[in-house]
Amino acid sequence: MPRTGGVYSPPAGTKGVSGTTIQSSPYNTFIDDLTADANAARPITAGGTGATSASAARAALGLGTAATQNTGTSGATVPLLNGANTWSTKQTFPAIDIVGTTPTLAFTDTDTGADSFVSASNSSGSVVISADANNEVSSSQIFFVIDGTTTGTLSTNGTFSLTGSTPILSLTDTDTNADCIVTASGATGSLGISADVNNEAANSQIIFAVDGATKATIDAAGALTSLGEIQITSASPILRFTDTDTNADSHITASSSTGSLGISADVNNESSGSLISFSVDGVTRATIDNQGDLNVGTWASNGATIGWTYDVSAGIVRSSQSTASSAFHYAFYNTNTLVGGISTSGTATTYAVSSDYRRKPVVEPLTGFWERINATKPRRFQWDSGQWDTGFIAHEFAAAYPAAVSGEKDAVDDDGNPVYQLMQASTSQVMADILAALKDINERLKTIEEAAA
């Protein structure tokens, strides 16, 4: 008798009646029916599998291949969720939710034993990405890959690298909506740092800070302000400035081979009247103009201001004092402090040497002046230029007045070139002898006149 809805019912007429004889035919039919039902696949509704084979039973029960595998943590087993599992081949998960106080997704490279993981902290709300947590491999990196292409890396020394034809690191201030970017150009090899690209905020700046302290800034007008040193290091470092109004380029350069420093104004001669200006406290203290003239202070031909200038074209040094009273233009010092100078007063110029009595603790009458004067040899001579002149020969004059001559007779430098002697015949020693001789002559004439009278 077929089952109806999985429920077995005996054939009709098989039930016995009390007090009657059981007929063999209906009884045998009932037994055969039970035998056939017992040997047939038991339906699922009757607690069976609805199939006569294991594979058919799994199919009837809706079981997949997992029904034929053992549980375990590695190999060809069904993984247990309450333990750590090892996957021998690549696995694909459409989504993974890891829940815990510090949920962690860990990866182990079986070739190197390097452990990497992604973890989250519920207490701080932070996410940690760690590559080679136990430092099993040198030069480990975290890679950022988009569309199969590496667009960024984070190396073991903390260097974050962006890779692309024009890589951009973009930063947005959600309070002001100001966008700031760092870009690199592969075509030009240039690096760009832009603050407030769309001019969303007032008074934007690029700030350079070290140890939490601002060291330099670049404001919206392009002014660079440094709170310390600015160091530029290369074989020939250059600090360049361009005036966008005139397109004039100026720069400061250094040469490692010569150890020299170069300051150049208007390199390509774009502007007329260019100069190099040195200012202190907002006041110009010195300049070098486009003729090469060096000006310190403010020289004035009428003496209205104090200054000094070297006129390159004329080869003249000019100095001005803003007074008609006595004032130094040049003062000369050595280890004995002030020893001489050049001063002006009214319409006169004085070339002075130190002569203060406080520097002369011992004073006595001058003697031997006639011997020294007579030891001099006034000469008429011809210069090596062909010009005739009168005066003295330095080494001859030194025999009488050594302090009036500098240098040595027949001296040469390291290359064998002559080092010529210099002299000044109007030194205070020479003038003192001349005046003493005049006084002596005057006394003798006076004696002669008195005797004649």
Side-chain angles (χ1 to χ4, degrees):
M1 182 74 179
R3 289 174 177 261
T4 302
V7 178
Y8 176 80
S9 299
T14 59
K15 287 188 177 183
V17 178
S18 178
T20 63
T21 301
I22 297 175
Q23 297 180 0
S24 61
S25 177
Y27 176 77
N28 293 334
T29 300
F30 175 56
I31 295 302
D32 291 340
D33 189 65
L34 287 176
T35 301
D37 183 72
N39 291 325
R42 186 169 294 278
I44 295 175
T45 54
T49 63
T52 59
S53 66
S55 59
R58 289 194 299 272
L61 292 174
L63 299 177
T65 58
T68 65
Q69 301 293 332
N70 296 322
T71 59
T73 58
S74 64
T77 60
V78 178
L80 298 174
L81 298 182
N82 63 348
N85 293 283
T86 302
W87 306 93
S88 57
T89 59
K90 180 175 69 175
Q91 305 297 318
T92 301
F93 301 95
I96 298 177
D97 289 331
I98 303 175
V99 180
T101 56
T102 306
T104 303
L105 179 61
F107 307 87
T108 299
D109 185 332
T110 56
D111 290 332
T112 62
D115 293 323
S116 299
F117 60 78
V118 179
S119 64
S121 171
N122 291 337
S123 59
S124 63
S126 58
V127 175
V128 177
I129 301 175
S130 178
D132 191 12
N134 299 315
N135 196 18
E136 301 284 349
V137 181
S138 62
S139 303
S140 301
Q141 290 180 307
I142 295 175
F143 289 87
F144 299 87
V145 180
I146 299 176
D147 294 336
T149 301
T150 298
T151 57
T153 59
L154 182 62
S155 64
T156 54
N157 62 4
T159 300
F160 180 62
S161 301
L162 293 177
T163 305
S165 58
T166 306
I168 299 176
L169 178 61
S170 181
L171 311 168
T172 300
D173 185 334
T174 55
D175 291 333
T176 62
N177 203 34
D179 292 325
C180 300
I181 59 173
V182 179
T183 62
S185 170
T188 62
S190 58
L191 175 70
I193 302 175
S194 301
D196 192 10
V197 178
N198 299 313
N199 197 19
E200 300 284 349
N203 302 319
S204 300
Q205 290 180 312
I206 296 175
I207 299 175
F208 303 89
V210 179
D211 294 335
T214 297
K215 300 300 183 182
T217 61
I218 301 176
D219 63 20
L224 171 63
T225 302
S226 172
L227 303 181
E229 291 185 355
I230 296 179
Q231 294 188 359
I232 304 174
T233 305
S234 71
S236 297
I238 299 177
L239 180 60
R240 190 182 304 275
F241 307 87
T242 299
D243 186 333
T244 54
D245 291 332
T246 62
N247 202 35
D249 291 326
S250 300
H251 57 68
I252 300 174
T253 61
S255 171
S256 58
S257 60
T258 63
S260 58
L261 177 71
I263 302 176
S264 301
D266 192 12
V267 178
N268 299 313
N269 196 20
E270 301 283 349
S271 178
S272 60
S274 302
L275 55 81
I276 296 174
S277 177
F278 301 89
S279 299
V280 180
D281 294 335
V283 179
T284 298
R285 305 298 184 181
T287 62
I288 301 175
D289 63 24
N290 58 1
Q291 300 300 314
D293 295 348
L294 172 61
N295 306 281
V296 180
T298 305
W299 175 82
S301 60
N302 61 359
T305 54
I306 299 173
W308 178 96
T309 184
Y310 173 62
D311 187 329
V312 174
S313 60
I316 297 175
V317 176
R318 298 185 175 94
S319 175
S320 64
Q321 282 283 3
S322 58
T323 179
S325 300
S326 178
F328 271 115
H329 289 249
Y330 296 92
F332 304 103
Y333 291 79
N334 63 17
T335 54
N336 289 321
T337 67
L338 180 66
V339 294
I342 302 174
S343 62
T344 57
S345 177
T347 59
T349 299
T350 301
Y351 301 85
V353 296
S354 177
S355 189
D356 194 287
Y357 78 95
R358 290 166 294 182
R359 300 294 306 279
K360 304 171 182 180
V362 179
V363 179
E364 58 187 20
L366 180 63
T367 60
F369 48 87
W370 281 118
E371 290 80 359
R372 289 188 291 275
I373 291 175
N374 290 332
T376 62
K377 300 177 180 179
R379 305 281 194 180
R380 183 173 182 270
F381 52 84
Q382 186 182 39
W383 289 100
D384 51 10
S385 62
Q387 179 182 355
W388 282 92
D389 203 349
T390 58
F392 300 92
I393 306 301
H395 70 274
E396 293 178 348
F397 199 78
Y401 298 99
V405 178
S406 63
E408 299 293 333
K409 180 177 180 293
D410 298 324
V412 295
D413 61 18
D414 293 340
D415 296 324
N417 300 311
V419 178
Y420 299 115
Q421 287 183 287
L422 305 176
M423 64 164 287
Q424 174 58 266
S426 60
T427 64
S428 59
Q429 294 87 359
V430 175
M431 295 303 300
D433 278 357
I434 292 174
L435 290 175
L438 288 174
K439 289 183 66 176
D440 183 61
I441 292 172
N442 185 56
E443 290 296 329
R444 294 183 184 188
L445 290 176
K446 183 179 178 180
T447 300
I448 293 172
E449 289 173 351
E450 290 176 351

